[in-house]
Structures are given as structure tokens and as C-alpha cells.
Amino acid sequence: MNFFRHRRRTVFGPPALALLITVAGCSSADDSASAAVPSPGAGVTKLCRELDRVLPSKVDDQDRRDPEPASALTAGWGDPAIILRCGVERPSKMDDPEADGVEANGVGWLLEEQDDGSFRFTTTLRKAYVEVTIPKDRAGDGMAPLVDLASAVKKAIPEGIAD
């Protein structure tokens, strides 16, 4: 099912909530979040460490609760966790001219609905790829997590094309 047929959207506040509200669902939450740690090159790792330094302590009114294993390349907020991974590989979906994207406070994101009902967003046109996964149980929160993360991404990850 595809709720996102528009190429680009600028997302701010309440309209963002309406964008994903229809895909909200219920499932049990994991006791602890985990995330695979990316293995980027030294330059991207440096950018990701800077991003970790400037990330907000709250995203979508959820406290930061980093996933296991602990790494400066991953972060998390809430339960079920919104997970950020910095330095991920370029998604092959970026080659698809029909791929869906959104823009939140000046940061472009590729949008991919996952088989489990969660949504994965990956930054576009930045020197490092930053991935944010919003679990199915939190999909009703709309784009608020991306809005909350935009300032940190803009500050730490320069515009451009990742290597």
C-alpha cells in the first residue's frame, strides 16, 4: 500500500501528523532496542560523531534511549524506539525516479515503507547518509521526528553527495 505518491513534500507541524496517521498500528514493543552499527570510512565517521554530539535529547517528546550496541553512529528515542543510524550505505531505492521523498525543515529524505509497517527515511544530498526508522507503533506521530532531527543534521552533515 502506498500512501506517499508525491515526490517531495515540505513537512511542518500538524500536516505532518496527517501524513502518517492512517498507517498507525498496534504491536508489542521490544524490551530493548538494537541497531546494526554502520561501518563508514573515516571522513563519514567524523561527520557522524559530530552529529551524535549535536543530536537533541528529545525527539517527538521522547527521551533519548540509545540502542545496543552502544555507538556514536546510532541513537534512539522512546519505546518503541525511533532509531537513527549515521553512515549507512546509499539505498538502491535512490536510483528509482519514482521513489518517494519528503522534506522536513530543509533536509531531504527518501521515504521507504518497510514490510513490517515501519518507515525508513534516509537523507538525500548530504555528505553522509543518515537513516531514521520510525516503527509501525509510532507511525501516527507523523514527521515530527524528522522535524526534530533536522537542525542537528543540517549542523553536522554538510550538503553534497556522500562518497
Side-chain angles (χ1 to χ4, degrees):
M1 113 176 73
N2 191 344
F3 294 100
F4 305 95
R5 284 300 353 145
H6 298 289
R7 280 291 170 95
R8 294 291 251 178
R9 298 177 198 230
T10 302
V11 182
F12 300 96
L17 180 60
L19 188 62
L20 286 179
I21 195 82
T22 58
V23 296
C26 296
S27 70
S28 62
D30 293 338
D31 290 333
S32 62
S34 64
V37 177
S39 302
V44 169
T45 297
K46 182 179 178 183
L47 294 173
C48 291
R49 288 185 187 282
E50 176 61 16
L51 176 61
D52 185 61
R53 193 182 69 72
V54 299
L55 284 172
S57 60
K58 286 188 178 272
V59 168
D60 195 26
D61 293 325
Q62 301 296 308
D63 291 324
R64 186 164 172 177
R65 294 179 51 192
D66 288 347
E68 295 293 329
S71 171
L73 304 181
T74 62
W77 295 266
D79 182 20
I82 295 164
I83 300 290
L84 178 144
R85 298 186 326 129
C86 185
V88 299
E89 299 267 330
R90 181 182 185 276
S92 61
K93 189 72 172 171
M94 285 191 180
D95 294 331
D96 181 354
E98 297 297 316
D100 293 317
V102 296
E103 186 176 60
N105 287 2
V107 176
W109 301 86
L110 169 71
L111 175 144
E112 297 175 275
E113 183 175 3
Q114 304 301 292
D115 292 338
D116 65 0
S118 65
F119 287 87
R120 180 173 59 205
F121 298 88
T122 308
T123 55
T124 60
L125 302 176
R126 295 277 162 184
K127 292 286 189 176
Y129 293 108
V130 177
E131 174 189 284
V132 174
T133 301
I134 300 175
K136 178 181 177 180
D137 291 1
R138 301 196 62 84
D141 297 342
M143 300 296 183
L146 302 182
V147 172
D148 292 346
L149 292 165
S151 291
V153 170
K154 287 192 290 190
K155 185 173 188 173
I157 312 294
E159 291 184 64
I161 304 295
D163 296 328

